Amino acid sequence: MSRNLVVTGGSGLVGAELVAALLPAFDRTLVLTGRQADPAGLRARIAAVLAVTGGDGTLLDRLDTHPLDGFGADALARLGYGTVAQVWNIGATLSYDPAKLRSTVAANTAVPLRLLAACRPEERFFQVSTVGVTGPGGPTGRTGPGGEGGDGRPSVVLEEPVWDVDAVNPYVVSKVLTEHMLDNLRHRHGHRVTSLRIGSVLGPARHPVVQANRAGYFTLVEMVAKARLRGVPLTLDVSGDVAPPLAHVDQIAASCAALAEQARGGDGRGGDGLGAYYHLGDQRLTNAAAVAAVNEALGAEVLALGPARTALDRAFASVNADNLAFMECGFVFDHRQLDARVPESARPAVDAASFAGFVTGQLEFLARRREEVRAA
């Protein structure tokens, strides 16, 4: 019997890396696509990751696609997917507009529940969530989800359901709602469900950039490029001593692949031994250290800390208010369970050198794209 995988969001930054990492472990992989589907483009993105990571390009022969709209158990049967071993729900709608709460919940909450019911994975359902389910926490000292903090120390978010939340936007609302609904199904019906809360995603640490992205720290790099052209530093109005949760996308994929393998092998006691919540995000690099590393790598002051001073600063702060809030993260995210399950070489680890490498690599990528556009 074939060991089958179902994935959503396979064409995205995290999705393409993860599909490329998981393909060797499954006989067939079904990637569910959105309304603006481009199956050829999806395959090209995954192929690009395989090419730079030394993967086998023929693995794409194991990959099928199907529209997410209208997907169900009947579609699985028509495609010949008699059983599903694992489901990885990576796709998400990132909306910060309160007016789009309904559509965001429909995309981020209703979809995983429908997938679980349709696929009924034999091994595990993995829900890719976000550390944002806690809210940003503000500067250190806020009383946190576990009751800690309030004394000037960061609160600790444990690898368990979060109840004291700061639902700052529709994306966070939908993600925390999904976690709790899946947790309810896990307890009531015995579904094996794991939510993976990832931190702010950076480009790969171990291979070249292969695709563009317009979210989070990628927007920061775009603004760095504009600031360099104008000869002024981009000022970030965040605390220098805070270390937000960060993770390189290839390291996220490696951690996920390790957890997927454990879900396959079991623990010898009738189960795989995996927990229900894991945090994927390193918090060793402070904002001040990140800024210093980028400036040193580029040989100029392109980033600074402090209140916005120029039109460029104010535009960045306005558009990226949520991202800047998470750069001031007042929580520490526990990952002891992850450390016990995932080899150290596959855990997210961001330091000054890897962060500077992400920024400089992304700047080179953006420069190549500008040249390609001019040439066309």
Side-chain angles (χ1 to χ4, degrees):
M1 182 179 293
S2 294
R3 184 164 177 265
N4 300 321
L5 169 70
V6 174
V7 180
T8 67
S11 64
L13 177 71
V14 175
E17 293 272 350
L18 182 54
V19 171
L22 293 180
L23 273 175
F26 294 88
D27 298 305
R28 296 181 68 188
T29 295
L30 176 63
V31 178
L32 300 176
T33 58
R35 293 181 179 178
Q36 305 299 321
D38 177 14
L42 180 149
R43 287 175 175 273
R45 291 186 186 96
I46 297 171
V49 176
L50 288 171
V52 297
T53 57
D56 182 357
T58 64
L59 291 171
L60 288 173
D61 295 338
R62 304 182 186 182
L63 190 146
D64 305 305
T65 61
H66 189 280
L68 180 58
D69 286 351
F71 173 77
D74 54 341
L76 271 176
R78 287 197 306 272
L79 292 165
Y81 282 68
T83 60
V84 174
Q86 295 182 22
V87 174
W88 284 80
N89 182 52
I90 310 165
T93 294
L94 275 71
S95 176
Y96 300 145
D97 182 355
K100 295 182 179 179
L101 175 62
R102 181 175 180 178
S103 60
T104 305
V105 169
N108 294 345
T109 304
V111 166
L113 298 178
R114 180 157 56 92
L115 284 175
L116 180 59
C119 297
R120 296 189 174 277
E122 295 180 333
E123 295 175 0
R124 189 157 287 268
F125 185 100
F126 289 95
Q127 165 70 11
V128 177
S129 188
T130 169
V131 296
V133 294
T134 59
T140 57
R142 174 189 163 193
T143 300
E148 304 87 359
D151 56 2
R153 294 179 300 166
S155 305
V156 178
V157 181
L158 302 177
E159 295 163 298
E160 60 186 36
V162 171
W163 293 97
D164 181 7
V165 299
D166 181 6
V168 295
N169 56 53
Y171 174 63
V172 167
V173 170
S174 65
K175 286 294 187 178
V176 73
L177 176 62
T178 303
E179 282 194 8
H180 279 279
M181 294 185 77
L182 288 173
D183 205 53
N184 183 45
L185 291 173
R186 184 173 66 88
H187 285 293
R188 292 184 63 182
H189 301 294
H191 293 298
R192 294 180 181 177
V193 177
T194 292
S195 291
L196 303 173
R197 298 170 179 153
I198 61 177
S200 295
V201 181
L202 307 179
R206 301 187 180 100
H207 67 71
V209 180
V210 296
Q211 63 173 312
N213 192 272
R214 299 297 303 276
Y217 280 80
F218 291 84
T219 302
L220 170 62
V221 179
E222 289 192 351
M223 295 300 285
V224 167
K226 294 180 180 179
R228 291 181 76 195
L229 290 173
R230 299 187 186 186
V232 297
L234 177 68
T235 304
L236 306 178
D237 192 7
V238 296
S239 301
D241 59 351
V242 172
L246 303 171
H248 291 289
V249 65
D250 52 342
Q251 295 172 349
I252 292 173
S255 295
C256 291
L259 293 172
E261 184 59 27
Q262 291 180 51
R264 173 186 190 175
D267 60 2
R269 300 188 298 273
D272 55 32
L274 292 180
Y277 295 90
Y278 293 99
H279 293 125
L280 276 68
D282 184 47
Q283 290 184 264
R284 292 180 296 177
L285 185 68
T286 65
N287 290 322
V291 166
V294 170
N295 290 340
E296 181 179 357
L298 296 176
E301 187 188 22
V302 296
L303 284 174
L305 295 174
R309 296 193 297 264
T310 69
L312 195 70
D313 298 332
R314 289 190 291 273
F316 177 75
S318 175
V319 173
N320 292 276
D322 286 281
N323 293 319
L324 286 170
F326 278 97
M327 290 179 73
E328 292 251 61
C329 183
F331 298 132
V332 170
F333 294 90
D334 184 21
H335 48 78
R336 284 173 293 181
Q337 291 187 69
L338 181 76
D339 290 351
R341 307 296 304 194
V342 173
E344 185 174 2
S345 60
R347 295 177 210 156
V350 179
D351 57 22
S354 70
F355 186 88
F358 154 64
V359 174
T360 56
Q362 192 67 17
L363 286 172
E364 292 170 1
F365 178 77
L366 293 173
R368 287 197 303 271
R369 291 196 67 196
R370 284 196 298 270
E371 291 301 319
E372 290 169 0
V373 170
R374 289 172 184 157

